[in-house]
Amino acid sequence: MRRSTVALALCLAPSAFATQQCGSVTIRSAADAEALRKGCSTVDGTVTLSAELNESISLDGVQIITGNLTSGDCNLVANRSSSASAISILSSTLTTIHGDLNLGSCVPGGLTNISFPNLKAVDGGFDIVNFGQLTYLDITNLDSVGYFYLWAPPLQTMLHNELRNVTGAHGTKRVFVTQTSLTSVDSLFRNPLDIGDSLASVEVNYFTN
Ligand SMILES: *[C@@H]1O[C@H](CO)[C@@H](O)[C@H](O)[C@H]1NC(C)=O
Ligand SMILES: *[C@@H]1O[C@H](CO)[C@@H](O)[C@H](O)[C@H]1NC(C)=O
Ligand SMILES: *[C@@H]1O[C@H](CO)[C@@H](O)[C@H](O)[C@H]1NC(C)=O
Ligand SMILES: *[C@@H]1O[C@H](CO)[C@@H](O)[C@H](O)[C@H]1NC(C)=O
Ligand SMILES: *[C@@H]1O[C@H](CO)[C@@H](O)[C@H](O)[C@H]1NC(C)=O
């Protein structure tokens, strides 16, 4: 009995350690991001961007996030400086988010640039709502999402080839764009879009400058 318990513990120890290293993480600084990107090509959990974040971060090295990439800590929003300096969130290696990409009202105040040029699939919702300073979004290779929702009045540039597959997430297959400063969102609609066999709504309502 005792013997088998010991064997089991030895067996579990290495994987428990690896999971701890690359599990869910909250990024509050460029140093946090540096530690993550150097240690983990797969994050087995959720990456949360703290509203406290006030410097640009790179996630180069991270390829897969099995949970969400999200902004949290709404209670910090009131504490952050209104004169937040412009920051970017970049990863040229990130290809897949199995959960949601959800960057909403609690994103760092200075966020101006999101650049994930090799992100191909977000199995959950792709959800960006930004009334702050987001002007630039590079999702060049994103072709499959659960749903797509974009509401970002200041957004001027979106690099994107084409959306091909809307697989459904959280009970919706919406592709919805409203209030941006983009001049075209053709990449989202002018292609053979596989929305499966259930009801989907594809809507666009964008304002140009
Ligand atoms: C970012 O915030 C930290 C902690 O609040 C602070 O020490 C640092 O000076 C800030 N950096 C910048 C560039 O504002
Ligand atoms: C991701 O966020 C959604 C809500 O948007 C939540 O339902 C889900 O549990 C989260 N997934 C993980 C792995 O935390
Ligand atoms: C935000 O500011 C409030 C009021 O100053 C303070 O009570 C609270 O602890 C701060 N929150 C954090 C997470 O620093
Ligand atoms: C955003 O970041 C990407 C990657 O560093 C860069 O190529 C691009 O020029 C930046 N966009 C703006 C508007 O600064
Ligand atoms: C879209 O995704 C569904 C479900 O994952 C898959 O069955 C279908 O083949 C995909 N369509 C395309 C065009 O990739």
Side-chain angles (χ1 to χ4, degrees), residues 88-90 112-115 117 135-136 138 157 159:
S88 304
I89 294 174
L90 315 170
T112 56
N113 185 336
I114 298 175
S115 184
T135 55
Y136 185 95
D138 184 347
T157 304
L159 303 185

Side-chain angles (χ1 to χ4, degrees), residues 46 67-68 100 102 170:
T46 284
N68 299 334
D100 301 322
N102 190 341
H170 304 298

Side-chain angles (χ1 to χ4, degrees), residues 164-208:
R164 301 193 64 88
N165 204 345
V166 182
T167 55
H170 304 298
T172 181
K173 285 190 165 188
R174 238 172 163 204
V175 177
F176 187 68
V177 180
T178 186
Q179 284 190 335
T180 70
S181 301
L182 299 169
T183 53
S184 167
V185 290
D186 283 356
S187 67
L188 294 172
F189 305 107
R190 291 246 173 101
N191 33 270
L193 187 60
D194 184 347
I195 52 178
D197 55 6
S198 62
L199 281 177
S201 69
V202 175
E203 304 164 54
V204 60
N205 168 21
Y206 64 95
F207 302 162
T208 57

Side-chain angles (χ1 to χ4, degrees), residues 83-102:
S83 58
S85 51
I87 66 171
S88 304
I89 294 174
L90 315 170
S91 179
S92 59
T93 56
L94 182 65
T95 60
T96 312
I97 298 173
H98 288 304
D100 301 322
L101 184 153
N102 190 341

